[in-house]
Amino acid sequence: MNREAALMSIDHVDARRGSESLRRWRQTQYARRCRSQAWLLDRVGHGRQLTIGQLGALPRPARCGWPLTGVGIRLYEGRAFLHGAQHCASPWACPTCTVLIRGRRAQDLRHAVHWWRQTKDNHRLVFVTLTIPHSKSERLGALIDLAASSWSRMRGSHAWRRLADRTGIRHHVRSMEITWSPTSGWHAHLHVLLFTETMPDAKTLKKSIHVLWAEAVRALDPDRRPVSKRHGVTVEPVTDDGRLVAGYMNKTPDRRDIALEMTRGDRKQGRRKGSLNPFEFLDDGTGIDERTARALWCEYVDSTYRRRTITWSRRLRQDSGLAGMEPTDRQIIDDAIHGLPVINLDPPAYRMLRRSPSIIATALQLVEDGQVPLAETIIGQATTMDNPRS
Ligand SMILES: [Zn+2]
């Protein structure tokens, strides 16, 4: 085999491996959505048929994927997706919408990061994590409120403005991340990406931010344990190519993409031992019993409803050349829903697909690989098996 042929066959193997892992990934997302919806419906209906009033009162992620009109598979920029169904546009609690929304936020942030690094040689980025001491029994909603309000209080203070002037902080982006662990319960923490004009001394910056953060948390919740001096605030420099180098003393550093680190809390898994990303409540084999997982998931869906995942400082989007206003979660979902109709689905076929994560994943994969007739055959056979009389 000559070199070119060898390279092509490597490409082919990579592409096959890539499409196989995409199929498996989709299957997981659709399986998670099925389970989330079963739990959310069951909470209201207790296994009985729901009334119209009950259906209307369901949280939006419970209705994601319900058919509107003319459901089918479409292809847009090489990616196949189900079209014609409701989208809940939840940036937190929907295994399918969250991915689309956060993917777009990551893209915007990557653009801003690149712009900042390109504009001047001295421009730097600093990644800050802000945490709050918490106990195992605390409710998630209260923790989210406290984290968000403490940040607003700190950022609005004169002391913060003075610090920003002194250290050359010109812009920031803030995001919230939520995890849970059996030993310490819910953990809602903030990531803040600072756009600075020069590289501030990390130790000094950490100390200064710690003073302000601890003060803001104390002002809002005087009875809480004080913010930890060691772990309450961390400050990490971002490399020139937009990455975080975890434990840079290590021989094999884990180089994390800053845009993903800021926006894709939904993707992280088992970073810290025993700590779960809330989507993992929907998976088998996490070691948590189903009743607990179900209660935690429902609490998560309720507590994150209508909360923002990410906020940008004024002018950053405009200055970096991102068009106008920040798109809402709903707009991102609506934008993602163009595409060429490829396969139309009748109601029984669509009902079968909604219940069968592995068949959806396979059908979408086949459409992307150009094997539309095979996708239709598989859908047709599975629908017949699902509805033997039709
Ligand atoms: Zn959704």
Side-chain angles (χ1 to χ4, degrees), residues 314-339:
R314 217 161 45 90
R315 294 208 317 271
L316 173 55
R317 293 186 66 87
Q318 210 177 355
D319 288 1
S320 67
L322 283 165
M325 296 281 288
E326 187 177 358
T328 63
D329 298 326
R330 171 58 62 190
Q331 280 161 348
I332 292 177
I333 289 293
D334 290 345
D335 283 353
I337 302 171
H338 303 294

mmCIF file with all atom_site columns, all heavy atoms in Angstrom, residues 314-339:
data_model
loop_
_atom_site.group_PDB
_atom_site.id
_atom_site.type_symbol
_atom_site.label_atom_id
_atom_site.label_alt_id
_atom_site.label_comp_id
_atom_site.label_asym_id
_atom_site.label_entity_id
_atom_site.label_seq_id
_atom_site.pdbx_PDB_ins_code
_atom_site.Cartn_x
_atom_site.Cartn_y
_atom_site.Cartn_z
_atom_site.occupancy
_atom_site.B_iso_or_equiv
_atom_site.pdbx_formal_charge
_atom_site.auth_seq_id
_atom_site.auth_comp_id
_atom_site.auth_asym_id
_atom_site.auth_atom_id
_atom_site.pdbx_PDB_model_num
ATOM 1   N N   . ARG A 1 314 ? -20.859 43.432 29.845 1.00 0.00 ? 314 ARG A N   1
ATOM 2   C CA  . ARG A 1 314 ? -21.368 44.364 28.842 1.00 0.00 ? 314 ARG A CA  1
ATOM 3   C C   . ARG A 1 314 ? -20.250 44.670 27.839 1.00 0.00 ? 314 ARG A C   1
ATOM 4   O O   . ARG A 1 314 ? -19.092 44.792 28.206 1.00 0.00 ? 314 ARG A O   1
ATOM 5   C CB  . ARG A 1 314 ? -21.770 45.656 29.562 1.00 0.00 ? 314 ARG A CB  1
ATOM 6   C CG  . ARG A 1 314 ? -23.008 46.335 29.028 1.00 0.00 ? 314 ARG A CG  1
ATOM 7   C CD  . ARG A 1 314 ? -23.555 47.294 30.081 1.00 0.00 ? 314 ARG A CD  1
ATOM 8   N NE  . ARG A 1 314 ? -22.484 48.091 30.693 1.00 0.00 ? 314 ARG A NE  1
ATOM 9   C CZ  . ARG A 1 314 ? -22.070 49.278 30.238 1.00 0.00 ? 314 ARG A CZ  1
ATOM 10  N NH1 . ARG A 1 314 ? -22.645 49.809 29.185 1.00 0.00 ? 314 ARG A NH1 1
ATOM 11  N NH2 . ARG A 1 314 ? -21.113 49.940 30.852 1.00 0.00 ? 314 ARG A NH2 1
ATOM 12  N N   . ARG A 1 315 ? -20.553 44.764 26.606 1.00 0.00 ? 315 ARG A N   1
ATOM 13  C CA  . ARG A 1 315 ? -19.624 45.148 25.539 1.00 0.00 ? 315 ARG A CA  1
ATOM 14  C C   . ARG A 1 315 ? -18.705 44.036 25.043 1.00 0.00 ? 315 ARG A C   1
ATOM 15  O O   . ARG A 1 315 ? -18.137 44.172 23.973 1.00 0.00 ? 315 ARG A O   1
ATOM 16  C CB  . ARG A 1 315 ? -18.759 46.356 25.938 1.00 0.00 ? 315 ARG A CB  1
ATOM 17  C CG  . ARG A 1 315 ? -19.536 47.639 26.127 1.00 0.00 ? 315 ARG A CG  1
ATOM 18  C CD  . ARG A 1 315 ? -18.661 48.848 25.829 1.00 0.00 ? 315 ARG A CD  1
ATOM 19  N NE  . ARG A 1 315 ? -17.333 48.726 26.384 1.00 0.00 ? 315 ARG A NE  1
ATOM 20  C CZ  . ARG A 1 315 ? -16.995 49.122 27.602 1.00 0.00 ? 315 ARG A CZ  1
ATOM 21  N NH1 . ARG A 1 315 ? -17.901 49.659 28.385 1.00 0.00 ? 315 ARG A NH1 1
ATOM 22  N NH2 . ARG A 1 315 ? -15.767 48.974 28.029 1.00 0.00 ? 315 ARG A NH2 1
ATOM 23  N N   . LEU A 1 316 ? -18.533 42.944 25.772 1.00 0.00 ? 316 LEU A N   1
ATOM 24  C CA  . LEU A 1 316 ? -17.591 41.922 25.292 1.00 0.00 ? 316 LEU A CA  1
ATOM 25  C C   . LEU A 1 316 ? -18.043 41.339 23.954 1.00 0.00 ? 316 LEU A C   1
ATOM 26  O O   . LEU A 1 316 ? -17.250 41.215 23.010 1.00 0.00 ? 316 LEU A O   1
ATOM 27  C CB  . LEU A 1 316 ? -17.402 40.805 26.326 1.00 0.00 ? 316 LEU A CB  1
ATOM 28  C CG  . LEU A 1 316 ? -16.580 39.593 25.864 1.00 0.00 ? 316 LEU A CG  1
ATOM 29  C CD1 . LEU A 1 316 ? -15.210 40.000 25.337 1.00 0.00 ? 316 LEU A CD1 1
ATOM 30  C CD2 . LEU A 1 316 ? -16.414 38.577 26.986 1.00 0.00 ? 316 LEU A CD2 1
ATOM 31  N N   . ARG A 1 317 ? -19.333 41.013 23.862 1.00 0.00 ? 317 ARG A N   1
ATOM 32  C CA  . ARG A 1 317 ? -19.806 40.427 22.600 1.00 0.00 ? 317 ARG A CA  1
ATOM 33  C C   . ARG A 1 317 ? -19.608 41.402 21.456 1.00 0.00 ? 317 ARG A C   1
ATOM 34  O O   . ARG A 1 317 ? -19.081 41.048 20.402 1.00 0.00 ? 317 ARG A O   1
ATOM 35  C CB  . ARG A 1 317 ? -21.283 40.041 22.706 1.00 0.00 ? 317 ARG A CB  1
ATOM 36  C CG  . ARG A 1 317 ? -21.549 38.918 23.677 1.00 0.00 ? 317 ARG A CG  1
ATOM 37  C CD  . ARG A 1 317 ? -22.995 38.495 23.608 1.00 0.00 ? 317 ARG A CD  1
ATOM 38  N NE  . ARG A 1 317 ? -23.302 37.905 22.320 1.00 0.00 ? 317 ARG A NE  1
ATOM 39  C CZ  . ARG A 1 317 ? -23.141 36.615 22.032 1.00 0.00 ? 317 ARG A CZ  1
ATOM 40  N NH1 . ARG A 1 317 ? -22.680 35.783 22.931 1.00 0.00 ? 317 ARG A NH1 1
ATOM 41  N NH2 . ARG A 1 317 ? -23.432 36.159 20.835 1.00 0.00 ? 317 ARG A NH2 1
ATOM 42  N N   . GLN A 1 318 ? -20.034 42.650 21.694 1.00 0.00 ? 318 GLN A N   1
ATOM 43  C CA  . GLN A 1 318 ? -19.944 43.653 20.649 1.00 0.00 ? 318 GLN A CA  1
ATOM 44  C C   . GLN A 1 318 ? -18.486 43.932 20.270 1.00 0.00 ? 318 GLN A C   1
ATOM 45  O O   . GLN A 1 318 ? -18.128 43.897 19.092 1.00 0.00 ? 318 GLN A O   1
ATOM 46  C CB  . GLN A 1 318 ? -20.591 44.922 21.179 1.00 0.00 ? 318 GLN A CB  1
ATOM 47  C CG  . GLN A 1 318 ? -21.200 45.758 20.116 1.00 0.00 ? 318 GLN A CG  1
ATOM 48  C CD  . GLN A 1 318 ? -21.881 46.967 20.753 1.00 0.00 ? 318 GLN A CD  1
ATOM 49  O OE1 . GLN A 1 318 ? -21.956 47.088 21.996 1.00 0.00 ? 318 GLN A OE1 1
ATOM 50  N NE2 . GLN A 1 318 ? -22.348 47.854 19.925 1.00 0.00 ? 318 GLN A NE2 1
ATOM 51  N N   . ASP A 1 319 ? -17.649 44.173 21.284 1.00 0.00 ? 319 ASP A N   1
ATOM 52  C CA  . ASP A 1 319 ? -16.250 44.494 21.005 1.00 0.00 ? 319 ASP A CA  1
ATOM 53  C C   . ASP A 1 319 ? -15.555 43.372 20.238 1.00 0.00 ? 319 ASP A C   1
ATOM 54  O O   . ASP A 1 319 ? -14.689 43.602 19.415 1.00 0.00 ? 319 ASP A O   1
ATOM 55  C CB  . ASP A 1 319 ? -15.479 44.751 22.312 1.00 0.00 ? 319 ASP A CB  1
ATOM 56  C CG  . ASP A 1 319 ? -15.887 46.073 22.943 1.00 0.00 ? 319 ASP A CG  1
ATOM 57  O OD1 . ASP A 1 319 ? -16.768 46.760 22.366 1.00 0.00 ? 319 ASP A OD1 1
ATOM 58  O OD2 . ASP A 1 319 ? -15.352 46.413 24.013 1.00 0.00 ? 319 ASP A OD2 1
ATOM 59  N N   . SER A 1 320 ? -15.930 42.126 20.538 1.00 0.00 ? 320 SER A N   1
ATOM 60  C CA  . SER A 1 320 ? -15.227 41.010 19.898 1.00 0.00 ? 320 SER A CA  1
ATOM 61  C C   . SER A 1 320 ? -15.830 40.688 18.533 1.00 0.00 ? 320 SER A C   1
ATOM 62  O O   . SER A 1 320 ? -15.393 39.748 17.871 1.00 0.00 ? 320 SER A O   1
ATOM 63  C CB  . SER A 1 320 ? -15.278 39.776 20.802 1.00 0.00 ? 320 SER A CB  1
ATOM 64  O OG  . SER A 1 320 ? -16.598 39.305 20.911 1.00 0.00 ? 320 SER A OG  1
ATOM 65  N N   . GLY A 1 321 ? -16.847 41.455 18.127 1.00 0.00 ? 321 GLY A N   1
ATOM 66  C CA  . GLY A 1 321 ? -17.393 41.287 16.783 1.00 0.00 ? 321 GLY A CA  1
ATOM 67  C C   . GLY A 1 321 ? -18.470 40.232 16.671 1.00 0.00 ? 321 GLY A C   1
ATOM 68  O O   . GLY A 1 321 ? -18.833 39.817 15.567 1.00 0.00 ? 321 GLY A O   1
ATOM 69  N N   . LEU A 1 322 ? -18.993 39.766 17.819 1.00 0.00 ? 322 LEU A N   1
ATOM 70  C CA  . LEU A 1 322 ? -20.117 38.821 17.761 1.00 0.00 ? 322 LEU A CA  1
ATOM 71  C C   . LEU A 1 322 ? -21.373 39.646 17.517 1.00 0.00 ? 322 LEU A C   1
ATOM 72  O O   . LEU A 1 322 ? -21.565 40.680 18.143 1.00 0.00 ? 322 LEU A O   1
ATOM 73  C CB  . LEU A 1 322 ? -20.256 38.056 19.076 1.00 0.00 ? 322 LEU A CB  1
ATOM 74  C CG  . LEU A 1 322 ? -19.253 36.941 19.296 1.00 0.00 ? 322 LEU A CG  1
ATOM 75  C CD1 . LEU A 1 322 ? -19.245 36.523 20.749 1.00 0.00 ? 322 LEU A CD1 1
ATOM 76  C CD2 . LEU A 1 322 ? -19.574 35.743 18.416 1.00 0.00 ? 322 LEU A CD2 1
ATOM 77  N N   . ALA A 1 323 ? -22.216 39.166 16.619 1.00 0.00 ? 323 ALA A N   1
ATOM 78  C CA  . ALA A 1 323 ? -23.357 39.986 16.204 1.00 0.00 ? 323 ALA A CA  1
ATOM 79  C C   . ALA A 1 323 ? -24.288 40.286 17.371 1.00 0.00 ? 323 ALA A C   1
ATOM 80  O O   . ALA A 1 323 ? -24.713 39.380 18.087 1.00 0.00 ? 323 ALA A O   1
ATOM 81  C CB  . ALA A 1 323 ? -24.120 39.263 15.110 1.00 0.00 ? 323 ALA A CB  1
ATOM 82  N N   . GLY A 1 324 ? -24.533 41.565 17.555 1.00 0.00 ? 324 GLY A N   1
ATOM 83  C CA  . GLY A 1 324 ? -25.588 42.112 18.415 1.00 0.00 ? 324 GLY A CA  1
ATOM 84  C C   . GLY A 1 324 ? -25.806 41.429 19.743 1.00 0.00 ? 324 GLY A C   1
ATOM 85  O O   . GLY A 1 324 ? -24.868 41.119 20.464 1.00 0.00 ? 324 GLY A O   1
ATOM 86  N N   . MET A 1 325 ? -27.078 41.179 20.031 1.00 0.00 ? 325 MET A N   1
ATOM 87  C CA  . MET A 1 325 ? -27.482 40.643 21.326 1.00 0.00 ? 325 MET A CA  1
ATOM 88  C C   . MET A 1 325 ? -27.108 39.170 21.447 1.00 0.00 ? 325 MET A C   1
ATOM 89  O O   . MET A 1 325 ? -27.057 38.445 20.454 1.00 0.00 ? 325 MET A O   1
ATOM 90  C CB  . MET A 1 325 ? -29.005 40.753 21.480 1.00 0.00 ? 325 MET A CB  1
ATOM 91  C CG  . MET A 1 325 ? -29.531 42.164 21.509 1.00 0.00 ? 325 MET A CG  1
ATOM 92  S SD  . MET A 1 325 ? -29.289 42.876 23.139 1.00 0.00 ? 325 MET A SD  1
ATOM 93  C CE  . MET A 1 325 ? -30.526 41.959 24.049 1.00 0.00 ? 325 MET A CE  1
ATOM 94  N N   . GLU A 1 326 ? -26.910 38.751 22.673 1.00 0.00 ? 326 GLU A N   1
ATOM 95  C CA  . GLU A 1 326 ? -26.659 37.340 22.925 1.00 0.00 ? 326 GLU A CA  1
ATOM 96  C C   . GLU A 1 326 ? -27.936 36.566 22.587 1.00 0.00 ? 326 GLU A C   1
ATOM 97  O O   . GLU A 1 326 ? -29.011 36.933 23.041 1.00 0.00 ? 326 GLU A O   1
ATOM 98  C CB  . GLU A 1 326 ? -26.323 37.193 24.404 1.00 0.00 ? 326 GLU A CB  1
ATOM 99  C CG  . GLU A 1 326 ? -25.871 35.823 24.771 1.00 0.00 ? 326 GLU A CG  1
ATOM 100 C CD  . GLU A 1 326 ? -25.469 35.752 26.245 1.00 0.00 ? 326 GLU A CD  1
ATOM 101 O OE1 . GLU A 1 326 ? -25.523 36.796 26.929 1.00 0.00 ? 326 GLU A OE1 1
ATOM 102 O OE2 . GLU A 1 326 ? -25.132 34.652 26.677 1.00 0.00 ? 326 GLU A OE2 1
ATOM 103 N N   . PRO A 1 327 ? -27.850 35.503 21.770 1.00 0.00 ? 327 PRO A N   1
ATOM 104 C CA  . PRO A 1 327 ? -29.089 34.780 21.453 1.00 0.00 ? 327 PRO A CA  1
ATOM 105 C C   . PRO A 1 327 ? -29.644 34.093 22.692 1.00 0.00 ? 327 PRO A C   1
ATOM 106 O O   . PRO A 1 327 ? -28.880 33.657 23.557 1.00 0.00 ? 327 PRO A O   1
ATOM 107 C CB  . PRO A 1 327 ? -28.637 33.742 20.414 1.00 0.00 ? 327 PRO A CB  1
ATOM 108 C CG  . PRO A 1 327 ? -27.176 33.588 20.624 1.00 0.00 ? 327 PRO A CG  1
ATOM 109 C CD  . PRO A 1 327 ? -26.666 34.882 21.176 1.00 0.00 ? 327 PRO A CD  1
ATOM 110 N N   . THR A 1 328 ? -30.963 34.016 22.778 1.00 0.00 ? 328 THR A N   1
ATOM 111 C CA  . THR A 1 328 ? -31.550 33.293 23.907 1.00 0.00 ? 328 THR A CA  1
ATOM 112 C C   . THR A 1 328 ? -31.428 31.794 23.643 1.00 0.00 ? 328 THR A C   1
ATOM 113 O O   . THR A 1 328 ? -31.141 31.368 22.515 1.00 0.00 ? 328 THR A O   1
ATOM 114 C CB  . THR A 1 328 ? -33.049 33.621 24.064 1.00 0.00 ? 328 THR A CB  1
ATOM 115 O OG1 . THR A 1 328 ? -33.712 33.169 22.873 1.00 0.00 ? 328 THR A OG1 1
ATOM 116 C CG2 . THR A 1 328 ? -33.284 35.105 24.246 1.00 0.00 ? 328 THR A CG2 1
ATOM 117 N N   . ASP A 1 329 ? -31.674 30.996 24.673 1.00 0.00 ? 329 ASP A N   1
ATOM 118 C CA  . ASP A 1 329 ? -31.617 29.543 24.516 1.00 0.00 ? 329 ASP A CA  1
ATOM 119 C C   . ASP A 1 329 ? -32.604 29.108 23.441 1.00 0.00 ? 329 ASP A C   1
ATOM 120 O O   . ASP A 1 329 ? -32.307 28.250 22.606 1.00 0.00 ? 329 ASP A O   1
ATOM 121 C CB  . ASP A 1 329 ? -31.937 28.858 25.847 1.00 0.00 ? 329 ASP A CB  1
ATOM 122 C CG  . ASP A 1 329 ? -30.916 29.225 26.922 1.00 0.00 ? 329 ASP A CG  1
ATOM 123 O OD1 . ASP A 1 329 ? -29.734 29.405 26.564 1.00 0.00 ? 329 ASP A OD1 1
ATOM 124 O OD2 . ASP A 1 329 ? -31.293 29.337 28.104 1.00 0.00 ? 329 ASP A OD2 1
ATOM 125 N N   . ARG A 1 330 ? -33.786 29.724 23.448 1.00 0.00 ? 330 ARG A N   1
ATOM 126 C CA  . ARG A 1 330 ? -34.816 29.370 22.463 1.00 0.00 ? 330 ARG A CA  1
ATOM 127 C C   . ARG A 1 330 ? -34.346 29.694 21.048 1.00 0.00 ? 330 ARG A C   1
ATOM 128 O O   . ARG A 1 330 ? -34.520 28.909 20.122 1.00 0.00 ? 330 ARG A O   1
ATOM 129 C CB  . ARG A 1 330 ? -36.121 30.107 22.839 1.00 0.00 ? 330 ARG A CB  1
ATOM 130 C CG  . ARG A 1 330 ? -37.236 30.053 21.836 1.00 0.00 ? 330 ARG A CG  1
ATOM 131 C CD  . ARG A 1 330 ? -37.701 28.651 21.469 1.00 0.00 ? 330 ARG A CD  1
ATOM 132 N NE  . ARG A 1 330 ? -38.247 27.892 22.581 1.00 0.00 ? 330 ARG A NE  1
ATOM 133 C CZ  . ARG A 1 330 ? -38.533 26.583 22.518 1.00 0.00 ? 330 ARG A CZ  1
ATOM 134 N NH1 . ARG A 1 330 ? -38.311 25.900 21.409 1.00 0.00 ? 330 ARG A NH1 1
ATOM 135 N NH2 . ARG A 1 330 ? -39.018 25.969 23.566 1.00 0.00 ? 330 ARG A NH2 1
ATOM 136 N N   . GLN A 1 331 ? -33.712 30.878 20.876 1.00 0.00 ? 331 GLN A N   1
ATOM 137 C CA  . GLN A 1 331 ? -33.246 31.256 19.531 1.00 0.00 ? 331 GLN A CA  1
ATOM 138 C C   . GLN A 1 331 ? -32.199 30.271 19.012 1.00 0.00 ? 331 GLN A C   1
ATOM 139 O O   . GLN A 1 331 ? -32.181 29.935 17.832 1.00 0.00 ? 331 GLN A O   1
ATOM 140 C CB  . GLN A 1 331 ? -32.652 32.666 19.544 1.00 0.00 ? 331 GLN A CB  1
ATOM 141 C CG  . GLN A 1 331 ? -33.717 33.745 19.498 1.00 0.00 ? 331 GLN A CG  1
ATOM 142 C CD  . GLN A 1 331 ? -33.190 35.095 19.967 1.00 0.00 ? 331 GLN A CD  1
ATOM 143 O OE1 . GLN A 1 331 ? -32.097 35.193 20.537 1.00 0.00 ? 331 GLN A OE1 1
ATOM 144 N NE2 . GLN A 1 331 ? -33.975 36.131 19.724 1.00 0.00 ? 331 GLN A NE2 1
ATOM 145 N N   . ILE A 1 332 ? -31.315 29.831 19.907 1.00 0.00 ? 332 ILE A N   1
ATOM 146 C CA  . ILE A 1 332 ? -30.282 28.877 19.470 1.00 0.00 ? 332 ILE A CA  1
ATOM 147 C C   . ILE A 1 332 ? -30.942 27.603 18.960 1.00 0.00 ? 332 ILE A C   1
ATOM 148 O O   . ILE A 1 332 ? -30.579 27.072 17.908 1.00 0.00 ? 332 ILE A O   1
ATOM 149 C CB  . ILE A 1 332 ? -29.310 28.561 20.629 1.00 0.00 ? 332 ILE A CB  1
ATOM 150 C CG1 . ILE A 1 332 ? -28.496 29.809 20.958 1.00 0.00 ? 332 ILE A CG1 1
ATOM 151 C CG2 . ILE A 1 332 ? -28.402 27.399 20.270 1.00 0.00 ? 332 ILE A CG2 1
ATOM 152 C CD1 . ILE A 1 332 ? -27.564 29.653 22.128 1.00 0.00 ? 332 ILE A CD1 1
ATOM 153 N N   . ILE A 1 333 ? -31.939 27.126 19.697 1.00 0.00 ? 333 ILE A N   1
ATOM 154 C CA  . ILE A 1 333 ? -32.634 25.905 19.275 1.00 0.00 ? 333 ILE A CA  1
ATOM 155 C C   . ILE A 1 333 ? -33.342 26.142 17.943 1.00 0.00 ? 333 ILE A C   1
ATOM 156 O O   . ILE A 1 333 ? -33.240 25.335 17.020 1.00 0.00 ? 333 ILE A O   1
ATOM 157 C CB  . ILE A 1 333 ? -33.642 25.466 20.360 1.00 0.00 ? 333 ILE A CB  1
ATOM 158 C CG1 . ILE A 1 333 ? -32.892 24.941 21.584 1.00 0.00 ? 333 ILE A CG1 1
ATOM 159 C CG2 . ILE A 1 333 ? -34.609 24.424 19.837 1.00 0.00 ? 333 ILE A CG2 1
ATOM 160 C CD1 . ILE A 1 333 ? -32.140 23.648 21.343 1.00 0.00 ? 333 ILE A CD1 1
ATOM 161 N N   . ASP A 1 334 ? -34.025 27.291 17.815 1.00 0.00 ? 334 ASP A N   1
ATOM 162 C CA  . ASP A 1 334 ? -34.745 27.546 16.558 1.00 0.00 ? 334 ASP A CA  1
ATOM 163 C C   . ASP A 1 334 ? -33.779 27.644 15.376 1.00 0.00 ? 334 ASP A C   1
ATOM 164 O O   . ASP A 1 334 ? -34.068 27.151 14.290 1.00 0.00 ? 334 ASP A O   1
ATOM 165 C CB  . ASP A 1 334 ? -35.591 28.826 16.668 1.00 0.00 ? 334 ASP A CB  1
ATOM 166 C CG  . ASP A 1 334 ? -36.777 28.617 17.608 1.00 0.00 ? 334 ASP A CG  1
ATOM 167 O OD1 . ASP A 1 334 ? -37.079 27.440 17.915 1.00 0.00 ? 334 ASP A OD1 1
ATOM 168 O OD2 . ASP A 1 334 ? -37.379 29.614 18.047 1.00 0.00 ? 334 ASP A OD2 1
ATOM 169 N N   . ASP A 1 335 ? -32.620 28.259 15.597 1.00 0.00 ? 335 ASP A N   1
ATOM 170 C CA  . ASP A 1 335 ? -31.621 28.368 14.521 1.00 0.00 ? 335 ASP A CA  1
ATOM 171 C C   . ASP A 1 335 ? -31.130 27.007 14.055 1.00 0.00 ? 335 ASP A C   1
ATOM 172 O O   . ASP A 1 335 ? -30.796 26.820 12.889 1.00 0.00 ? 335 ASP A O   1
ATOM 173 C CB  . ASP A 1 335 ? -30.367 29.127 15.010 1.00 0.00 ? 335 ASP A CB  1
ATOM 174 C CG  . ASP A 1 335 ? -30.623 30.619 15.073 1.00 0.00 ? 335 ASP A CG  1
ATOM 175 O OD1 . ASP A 1 335 ? -31.708 31.033 14.620 1.00 0.00 ? 335 ASP A OD1 1
ATOM 176 O OD2 . ASP A 1 335 ? -29.756 31.346 15.580 1.00 0.00 ? 335 ASP A OD2 1
ATOM 177 N N   . ALA A 1 336 ? -31.034 26.086 15.004 1.00 0.00 ? 336 ALA A N   1
ATOM 178 C CA  . ALA A 1 336 ? -30.454 24.773 14.682 1.00 0.00 ? 336 ALA A CA  1
ATOM 179 C C   . ALA A 1 336 ? -31.434 23.905 13.899 1.00 0.00 ? 336 ALA A C   1
ATOM 180 O O   . ALA A 1 336 ? -31.100 22.810 13.476 1.00 0.00 ? 336 ALA A O   1
ATOM 181 C CB  . ALA A 1 336 ? -30.024 24.070 15.961 1.00 0.00 ? 336 ALA A CB  1
ATOM 182 N N   . ILE A 1 337 ? -32.694 24.409 13.749 1.00 0.00 ? 337 ILE A N   1
ATOM 183 C CA  . ILE A 1 337 ? -33.708 23.542 13.177 1.00 0.00 ? 337 ILE A CA  1
ATOM 184 C C   . ILE A 1 337 ? -34.064 23.934 11.741 1.00 0.00 ? 337 ILE A C   1
ATOM 185 O O   . ILE A 1 337 ? -35.150 24.371 11.468 1.00 0.00 ? 337 ILE A O   1
ATOM 186 C CB  . ILE A 1 337 ? -34.925 23.489 14.117 1.00 0.00 ? 337 ILE A CB  1
ATOM 187 C CG1 . ILE A 1 337 ? -34.417 22.978 15.463 1.00 0.00 ? 337 ILE A CG1 1
ATOM 188 C CG2 . ILE A 1 337 ? -36.005 22.559 13.614 1.00 0.00 ? 337 ILE A CG2 1
ATOM 189 C CD1 . ILE A 1 337 ? -35.414 23.055 16.545 1.00 0.00 ? 337 ILE A CD1 1
ATOM 190 N N   . HIS A 1 338 ? -33.075 23.888 10.861 1.00 0.00 ? 338 HIS A N   1
ATOM 191 C CA  . HIS A 1 338 ? -33.329 24.049 9.434  1.00 0.00 ? 338 HIS A CA  1
ATOM 192 C C   . HIS A 1 338 ? -33.202 22.670 8.815  1.00 0.00 ? 338 HIS A C   1
ATOM 193 O O   . HIS A 1 338 ? -33.560 21.692 9.416  1.00 0.00 ? 338 HIS A O   1
ATOM 194 C CB  . HIS A 1 338 ? -32.283 24.976 8.804  1.00 0.00 ? 338 HIS A CB  1
ATOM 195 C CG  . HIS A 1 338 ? -32.214 26.293 9.435  1.00 0.00 ? 338 HIS A CG  1
ATOM 196 N ND1 . HIS A 1 338 ? -33.230 27.199 9.378  1.00 0.00 ? 338 HIS A ND1 1
ATOM 197 C CD2 . HIS A 1 338 ? -31.229 26.877 10.161 1.00 0.00 ? 338 HIS A CD2 1
ATOM 198 C CE1 . HIS A 1 338 ? -32.897 28.297 10.021 1.00 0.00 ? 338 HIS A CE1 1
ATOM 199 N NE2 . HIS A 1 338 ? -31.692 28.122 10.519 1.00 0.00 ? 338 HIS A NE2 1
ATOM 200 N N   . GLY A 1 339 ? -32.631 22.656 7.643  1.00 0.00 ? 339 GLY A N   1
ATOM 201 C CA  . GLY A 1 339 ? -32.276 21.351 7.096  1.00 0.00 ? 339 GLY A CA  1
ATOM 202 C C   . GLY A 1 339 ? -33.235 20.832 6.040  1.00 0.00 ? 339 GLY A C   1
ATOM 203 O O   . GLY A 1 339 ? -34.344 21.302 5.888  1.00 0.00 ? 339 GLY A O   1
#
